[in-house]
Amino acid sequence: MFLAGALWAAAVTPAPAPPPDTVIYVVRRGDTLDRLSQSFLVPERRWRALLKLAGIRNPRRLPVGRPLTIPRDWLRYKVEPARLASYRGTVSLSMAGRPVPLAAGSVIGENTDVATAANSFVTLILADRSQVVIPSQSRVRIRELRRILLTGAIDYRIEVQKGRLETKVTPVDPPSGRYRIRTPISMTAVRGTEFRVSFEAERDVAATEVLTGRVGFSGPDGSGALELDRSFGATLDSASPPRIEKLLAAPDLDEPPPVQTRYAVEFRARKLDGAIRYRAVIATDAGFIDNVAEQFSDDGVFALNDIPNGNLFVRVSAVAPSGLEGLAQAYSFRRRLASIHGSVETGEDGYRFRWSGAGGGVRRYRFQLMRDTPQGSLMVDEVALARDALTLRRLPGGVYYWRVGLIQIEDGEATESWTDPEKLTITDPTRSRKR
């Protein structure tokens, strides 16, 4: 019980009561009520309303340095659209029910709905350079993308209606700026950090996971606000208060290969205490803006198909029983599809070995046959084969192991891969006759 209490204290601190929905502006030299109202207030609010609000008796003189607390809905703003940085897979964009064409660099305005199918991704770059990644099987609405003219502060609001959202937030400046991520039952507010937000509609559960910095976590109306520190997460449903816990550490990969040549890109995460499953994401960049694939695994073994060639990155994390995804770490690797697999069949003229695979460029093969063990003496070693088959005749009875190698030359680069040694047992025909 003591440990649970200590963990709570380390994770959260009570946030102050939420201030009114206002912006504080400090009067500068040369400011007049008329200029402020004409340039920065909505038509319904003019200088007389501002004068009354500020409690200033002399409308011709504004004290320099005087803070003015102004309701946000009095203030004019401009919409600053986001930009579609990248997308993969099956993605749909719509605004007011109308489809928006998909193209890198497209403008994403307010009230745009973004939906992703399985193994699909979207990355948006906001006007303040914040990054929003929408992974697979998610539905998100970009509700507000605004900058207040009076202070230059941003006012962003994004809704996670289903699935997940990952974001890296540029520090909010000036302090009156707001960056809010809402679900139907929670709100997460930040001033510059990296975090994830998810909403599981089937269970009506929202979650927030803080990777760097600190975020405010509350109900959708801002009630019961708490501050979550780095490496902590919280879940919330409509019937219970927030449940806080420390995020799982990032799992290690077990000897990740620097080059991946097989048809499936394969990784194995080392088991982590407290994890019930694992997640891997592959991207073309170290910042994971251009994600190309993701996969969940109960045992930490991943095999991802249709991965393009190139210098890539994989990021691995673990998931706790609560559903909170833990911290992640990334590894670089080179992808060069140069797969090879073989088979053997018997015929009247001997044993025919065949091979095939996927990849580009010029492909040349090497065939090896060993006696007794995979490390046994080489009985056959054929190199620089252009054909995809080889027949061996008059093999005496015994145990053999064979494998096929590939040298693939593509874009001036050579890649080598081998099949695993396969066993071939040949019965001595003279023994069967003696019996």
Side-chain angles (χ1 to χ4, degrees):
M1 190 71 178
F2 173 78
L3 180 61
L7 184 62
W8 175 281
V12 300
T13 55
D21 196 12
T22 59
V23 168
I24 296 178
Y25 176 75
V26 179
V27 176
R28 302 174 183 176
R29 189 176 300 279
D31 282 342
T32 65
L33 285 174
D34 184 64
R35 186 185 77 86
L36 293 178
S37 62
Q38 289 288 341
S39 300
F40 303 113
L41 299 189
V42 297
E44 296 80 8
R45 303 289 182 180
R46 286 308 183 201
W47 69 268
R48 293 184 185 278
L50 186 60
L51 182 68
K52 182 178 179 181
L53 181 72
I56 299 174
R57 294 183 178 181
N58 186 351
R60 300 181 184 277
R61 182 180 179 185
L62 291 179
V64 175
R66 175 74 174 270
L68 303 179
T69 303
I70 307 172
R72 285 180 184 267
D73 58 7
W74 287 25
L75 296 171
R76 296 173 60 188
Y77 60 85
K78 63 177 179 178
V79 175
E80 294 186 332
R83 178 174 57 86
L84 178 61
S86 66
Y87 70 93
R88 300 271 180 166
T90 303
V91 175
S92 67
L93 300 179
S94 62
M95 184 182 300
R98 297 181 178 179
V100 176
L102 277 171
S106 293
V107 171
I108 306 298
E110 292 186 336
N111 296 313
T112 297
D113 293 307
V114 184
T116 58
N119 208 31
S120 303
F121 305 86
V122 174
T123 298
L124 307 179
I125 303 297
L126 308 186
D128 72 337
R129 301 185 304 281
S130 294
Q131 169 187 320
V132 175
V133 177
I134 303 170
S136 303
Q137 297 177 322
S138 299
R139 187 171 63 248
V140 171
R141 172 167 290 183
I142 311 301
R143 179 65 76 177
E144 294 177 358
L145 298 171
R146 302 177 179 181
R147 188 174 296 275
I148 297 171
L149 296 182
L150 177 63
T151 62
I154 65 164
D155 198 355
Y156 295 164
R157 180 158 63 97
I158 301 174
E159 298 174 356
V160 179
Q161 300 170 342
K162 175 188 176 184
R164 294 170 289 140
L165 177 148
E166 304 170 6
T167 183
K168 293 181 180 178
V169 182
T170 300
V172 177
D173 185 36
S176 55
R178 298 191 301 184
Y179 187 112
R180 297 160 294 161
I181 310 293
R182 291 181 179 268
T183 74
I185 62 172
S186 70
M187 180 174 71
T188 304
V190 297
R191 291 189 178 278
T193 186
E194 182 178 356
F195 66 101
R196 300 183 292 247
V197 173
S198 64
F199 178 66
E200 190 175 342
E202 294 76 10
R203 296 194 303 135
D204 199 30
V205 175
T208 291
E209 301 136 1
V210 184
L211 306 180
T212 62
R214 174 181 290 183
V215 308
F217 182 75
S218 69
D221 59 354
S223 61
L226 301 169
E227 287 193 352
L228 292 174
D229 285 328
R230 177 188 181 277
S231 302
F232 282 87
T235 56
L236 176 68
D237 59 45
S238 55
S240 305
R243 294 173 293 278
I244 314 298
E245 65 183 74
K246 188 171 179 59
L247 299 180
L248 291 174
D252 295 320
L253 286 181
D254 190 10
E255 298 181 358
V259 181
Q260 294 270 359
T261 61
R262 297 185 176 184
Y263 183 77
V265 169
E266 299 175 349
F267 299 99
R268 181 186 296 271
R270 294 176 184 171
K271 294 296 180 65
L272 193 67
D273 290 342
I276 62 169
R277 63 175 179 163
Y278 301 82
R279 180 186 180 216
V281 179
I282 292 178
T284 63
D285 62 295
F288 287 82
I289 293 176
D290 184 21
N291 296 332
V292 299
E294 76 170 341
Q295 189 175 89
F296 286 91
S297 169
D298 292 338
D299 59 4
V301 178
F302 300 96
L304 300 101
N305 298 323
D306 301 320
I307 304 301
N309 286 342
N311 296 319
L312 304 177
F313 300 84
V314 59
R315 187 177 65 192
V316 186
S317 56
V319 180
S322 63
L324 288 173
E325 182 181 342
L327 303 178
Q329 62 177 321
Y331 298 79
S332 64
F333 69 97
R334 188 164 61 89
R335 167 61 163 166
R336 179 64 70 179
L337 178 59
S339 67
I340 181 73
H341 54 85
S343 62
V344 59
E345 58 189 31
T346 59
E348 294 182 357
D349 57 346
Y351 293 87
R352 187 164 183 79
F353 299 85
R354 298 179 181 273
W355 49 85
S356 62
V362 177
R363 294 163 63 92
R364 293 293 181 265
Y365 306 99
R366 183 175 182 178
F367 178 86
Q368 292 183 337
L369 183 74
M370 291 76 68
R371 189 67 185 260
D372 298 327
T373 70
Q375 297 78 32
S377 59
L378 280 173
M379 297 190 63
V380 178
D381 190 7
E382 293 282 348
V383 300
L385 298 172
R387 58 189 185 276
D388 60 0
L390 178 68
T391 299
L392 297 180
R393 299 177 176 84
R394 295 185 296 276
L395 282 176
V399 175
Y400 299 88
Y401 286 85
W402 63 276
R403 65 175 188 164
V404 180
L406 165 68
I407 293 291
Q408 178 176 293
I409 301 175
E410 184 178 8
D411 299 328
E413 182 179 359
T415 303
E416 181 178 0
S417 59
W418 286 87
T419 63
D420 294 328
E422 296 192 30
K423 186 177 182 180
L424 173 64
T425 302
I426 300 177
T427 303
D428 189 342
T430 61
R431 290 188 180 182
S432 60
R433 284 197 298 269
K434 289 179 180 179
R435 290 180 184 176

